[in-house]
């Protein structure tokens, strides 16, 4: 298997962190692509017509895209440690929380960064300042419910670390590019982030 991926980008980082938690980081070859020049060319469009990373090339030559689908596949192939739930109920709730932070936290933060950071103008054409501003408002509002959610439990999806923590953590790390540090004003996010940041997988970019 081979992972087409990129440094610093939040979705590839989700998969890197997931692999690190599974102890698989060094077992899968990683091919780093330059997002500015190597994702919208025929070679990569052949792997993913959307021209995005991550893409996992399976041993039979098929290309699996979408971070969560890649993680689901890895979870089935390497069930321990469990990151996506053991029982039908647990799996469903972890998926619910993971999608909640993917759409409610990662999406507005990514749009804020992509439309608001001058360095990402090469990927986002046109960059729309008003959209960056609107996305920043949505992201800030999301921090309120995330902080409230985390008041009642240790991790995003319950009392143990799961894929939902990986998604939320990678989203917040990416937002440091626009100097967004919600842990400075939201105590439950701060406590949760400290716990996640202490894991070795958090250092994998
Ligand atoms: N829904 C996809 C999103 C993938 C995605 O947006 N990847 C970004 C990096 S985080 C990318 O490849 N960007 C390249 C570009 O915008 O040209 C997933 O979960 O994997």
């Amino acid at each position: 298997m081979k992972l087409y991926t990129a440094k610093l980008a939040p979705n590839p980082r989700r998969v890197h962190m997931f692999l690190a938690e599974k102890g698989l980081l060094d077992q899968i070859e990683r091919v780093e692509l330059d997002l500015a020049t190597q994702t919208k060319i025929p070679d990569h469009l052949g792997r993913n017509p959307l021209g995005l990373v991550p893409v996992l090339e399976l041993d039979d030559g098929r290309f699996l895209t979408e971070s969560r689908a890649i993680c689901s596949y890895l979870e089935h192939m390497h069930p321990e440690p469990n990151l996506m739930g053991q029982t039908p109920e647990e799996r469903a709730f972890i998926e619910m929380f993971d999608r909640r932070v993917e759409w409610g936290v990662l999406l507005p933060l990514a749009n804020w960064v992509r439309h608001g950071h001058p360095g990402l103008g090469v990927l986002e054409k046109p960059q729309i300042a008003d959209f960056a501003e609107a996305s920043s408002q949505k992201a800030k509002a999301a921090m309120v419910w995330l902080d409230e959610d985390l008041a009642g439990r240790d991790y995003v999806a319950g009392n143990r670390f799961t894929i939902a923590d990986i998604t939320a953590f990678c989203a917040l790390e990416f937002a440091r590019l626009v100097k967004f540090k919600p842990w400075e004003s939201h105590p439950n996010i701060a406590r949760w982030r400290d716990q996640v940041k202490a894991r070795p997988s958090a250092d994998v970019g």
Side-chain angles (χ1 to χ4, degrees):
M1 283 195 292
K2 199 186 276 187
L3 184 69
Y4 293 89
T5 187
K7 285 202 162 81
L8 296 174
N11 287 297
R13 189 171 182 177
R14 289 164 72 189
V15 175
H16 300 167
M17 200 167 164
F18 194 91
L19 284 168
E21 288 286 337
K22 294 275 183 193
L24 296 171
L25 201 57
D26 297 329
Q27 290 183 36
I28 294 181
E29 183 188 347
R30 275 178 289 163
V31 181
E32 305 274 355
L33 301 185
D34 175 358
L35 295 186
T37 59
Q38 292 182 305
T39 53
K40 302 293 188 278
I41 59 173
D43 267 2
H44 191 65
L45 292 170
R47 301 178 195 115
N48 179 357
L50 304 185
L52 301 172
V53 286
V55 176
L56 184 67
E57 182 175 359
L58 304 186
D59 290 339
D60 66 7
R62 283 181 298 170
F63 295 108
L64 183 63
T65 72
E66 295 299 323
S67 308
R68 200 175 200 285
I70 294 171
C71 291
S72 293
Y73 177 72
L74 295 169
E75 176 93 344
H76 286 293
M77 300 302 280
H78 302 273
E80 296 300 331
N82 178 282
L83 294 170
M84 298 181 80
Q86 304 272 16
T87 64
E89 285 80 9
E90 198 194 15
R91 274 198 288 277
F93 277 96
I94 290 171
E95 177 167 355
M96 177 185 85
F97 284 114
D98 189 38
R99 290 187 182 278
R100 187 182 287 180
V101 289
E102 183 179 40
W103 285 82
V105 175
L106 175 55
L107 185 66
L109 284 174
N111 285 332
W112 178 5
V113 176
R114 289 178 64 106
H115 284 271
H117 191 286
L120 290 175
V122 65
L123 297 182
E124 207 56 69
K125 293 178 186 156
Q127 266 189 325
I128 302 170
D130 283 351
F131 188 47
E133 173 57 25
S135 300
S136 81
Q137 297 305 325
K138 286 201 169 76
K140 286 171 190 165
M143 294 306 110
V144 175
W145 60 252
L146 183 62
D147 194 68
E148 281 170 7
D149 266 12
L150 285 166
R153 53 182 181 269
D154 290 343
Y155 292 97
V156 169
N159 285 324
R160 72 179 180 94
F161 180 86
T162 69
I163 188 171
D165 299 291
I166 293 178
T167 303
F169 181 77
C170 293
L172 293 193
E173 286 296 287
F174 188 54
R176 295 177 69 170
L177 285 176
V178 286
K179 305 198 183 334
F180 185 51
K181 297 181 180 174
W183 49 90
E184 289 179 349
S185 50
H186 292 87
N188 299 307
I189 291 176
R191 187 227 343 116
W192 161 82
R193 180 174 176 270
D194 285 348
Q195 289 182 140
V196 177
K197 213 171 158 29
R199 303 177 78 89
S201 65
D203 294 333
V204 179

